[in-house]
Amino acid sequence: MDNQPLKQSVQMAVVMGIFLPLAETVRRSNHILDISRFLNWFDDYILGGVLLLAAYLVLRQVANGITYLVAAWSFAAGALALSFLGQLDYFRTHTADPGIFNTAFIVFAKGMIFIYLMVGLGLAIKANAIREKQLLQK
């Protein structure tokens, strides 16, 4: 893969695709078996799966694979932005996080994850521009 931003974005997608479900499982371990809270934690499995699927499509050189990667990063970043804002509300109102960690730690962690997602998105967009330029030169 001669497109360095694409290589980095794919690697980051694999890391985050594995990290998100694992981290959420640990965070929500106090009520992961409570079926009424299923949707509170399962979204991270969906986000992780979308990122892994997009990385797979790029690695398999599927047509428009980079477009899928941009869409996956956008989907994940949008979902995390909403989650981060909700977490800020917990922090603002001094409401305890429903998981096992301190609310301030979760605000910080979600902020760092959001930045990571935005970097991955930026790299995927840059990779797409490089790919389009390569196609135009042919």
Side-chain angles (χ1 to χ4, degrees), residues 97-113:
D97 182 75
I100 63 171
F101 296 109
N102 176 290
T103 302
F105 173 75
I106 297 300
V107 167
F108 176 77
K110 285 185 179 184
M112 293 296 101
I113 293 168

Side-chain angles (χ1 to χ4, degrees), residues 112-123:
M112 293 296 101
I113 293 168
F114 182 69
I115 291 168
Y116 184 96
L117 293 173
M118 294 306 293
V119 169
L121 174 59
L123 288 169

Side-chain angles (χ1 to χ4, degrees), residues 19-97:
F19 174 77
L20 281 173
L22 288 177
E24 188 67 354
T25 300
V26 171
R27 175 179 170 227
R28 302 283 188 152
S29 63
N30 60 332
H31 56 77
I32 200 102
L33 298 177
D34 181 357
I35 195 70
S36 68
R37 296 186 183 212
F38 175 76
L39 295 177
N40 293 52
W41 57 265
F42 190 69
D43 61 331
D44 286 296
Y45 282 77
I46 294 168
L47 297 178
V50 167
L51 286 167
L52 290 173
L53 176 62
Y56 173 79
L57 293 174
V58 169
L59 292 172
R60 299 296 284 169
Q61 298 180 353
V62 170
N64 296 318
I66 299 174
T67 303
Y68 291 113
L69 186 61
V70 169
W73 281 119
S74 299
F75 176 66
L80 197 30
L82 293 174
S83 179
F84 178 68
L85 292 173
Q87 198 68 40
L88 280 177
D89 196 45
Y90 281 155
F91 189 73
R92 182 187 60 81
T93 60
H94 303 288
T95 305
D97 182 75

